[in-house]
Amino acid sequence: MKISVLGCGYLGAVHAAAMASLGHDVVAIDIDEERIAKLAAGEPPFFEPDFPELLESGLASGRLKFTTDFSAVHGARVHFICVGTPQLDDGYAADVSQVDAAIEAIIPHITKHVDGPVVVVGKSTVPVGTAQRIQDWLDRDADPAANATLLWNPEFLREGFGVVDTLTPDRIVYGLADSPQAEAAGETLDEVYAEALRAGIPRLITDFATSELVKVAANSFLATKISFINAMAELCDVSGADVTKLAEAIGLDERIGPKFLRAGLGFGGGCLPKDIRAFMARAGELGADQALTFLREVDAINSRRRDAVVQILSRKFGGQLSGRRITILGAAFKPGTDDVRDSPALEVATRLSGLGARVKITDPIALDNVRILHPELQAVQDVDEALQGAEAVALLTEWPEYKKMDPAHAREQVSNPYVFDGRNVLAPQQWRAAGWTYRGFGRP
Ligand code: UDX
């Protein structure tokens, strides 16, 4: 099937390559010329496992093309909207201008298709109510002969698992309008996702509003789970209990489950923080702000984790961070990605640097992004070199290589063996036995 993908970020580029791997004829579009040039040359503009292979095979097959020219969407039967919806600069709400720009750009190119209605598929995370507004817009401005039909199909992909989550998601959600052609639109998308559906992946059909809410509700739940265990870590800190054991014990209850109960520096990235804020903003607009006031607390608990590390390190140096040599292990918002958007580790690093500390930061793959955004930090690729002369070390992103670091070897690099384990992934006894002062979140 000929399909177009609008937006070539983590979501769109991976989606486009994944769709080409299923045999579809895909044109992917973005306004960022540099990004498109890279993708067209087979160079992934970001790190994502399995994506380079899909990109290369897609380009080689001739079924995957990248362009900045929107007229290339002409003749596509399905258009996927995969652009970003970041937090507005001056508030909590989501900025949907990229979604609107994509719709505006494709409308003139939506033309009658012999096989049925032209389907516009929204995948971006949007405030509830957006889908209906876009359908009304298509009804008003798109060629009536094309029967342009919107279908909301939220994406749940995790960075670092983008390809797997796109090809074999936990579930597929179709938000459909109450219109005569909606069923045909759903059948068209069934053809696109035929392989996943054949494999038995559940597909849920809902109305527009529910499908929009599924995504933000899921992310809010995940954020709440993380902040819950981080609140428990605060309690553990004042009572001498161990939050890692507590999480293990409550996680064995099937109703609770062990996932997303890792206490530490909290959540970051391009989704969870901005999604819970956009959700609160939208609830306020709809007059239901009370329903989500708990998310304010979820957000506050999460921010407190970042404050806590800065305070603990500051206190360690008697409130005088100026000139102190601190090494930060990890810059990405989580392991397995080079994404530093709203990265807790990077925020802590920049705050310490702002308070006068001499911060060295290391990360297996995210340092290029750090150098662009924070040239004031000393970005050091080699871990031993990063540790040289440190008076305090903070592990803030739990990359496997940091988890299995040898404390005795690390001890030889630093000038003062103090480690703050911001993700509770080191074995305190081993580190203490090697001469380190160890501190974690909610661990005695
Ligand atoms: C998230 C959702 O998981 C995904 O379904 C949605 O489509 C996009 O947002 P992602 O942003 O890739 O995906 O990150 P995720 O793996 O969910 O982790 C989010 C943050 O939570 C990371 O900063 C991670 O370090 C943190 N986290 C996760 C914890 O602090 N503790 C945990 O137990 C789990």
Side-chain angles (χ1 to χ4, degrees), residues 90-108:
D90 58 354
Y92 267 17
D95 174 3
V96 295
S97 61
Q98 294 180 47
V99 174
D100 288 355
I103 299 293
E104 195 168 2
I106 63 169
I107 278 184

Side-chain angles (χ1 to χ4, degrees), residues 155-159 215 219 222 226 260-262 266-272 333-334 344 398 423:
E155 188 56 66
F156 302 99
L157 72 81
R158 296 160 299 166
E159 283 176 28
K215 173 61 188 273
N219 276 356
L222 295 173
I226 298 169
F260 273 66
L261 280 184
R262 294 191 314 275
F267 58 84
C271 291
L272 259 46
F333 84 94
K334 65 172 188 179
E398 69 279 30
R423 295 291 176 180

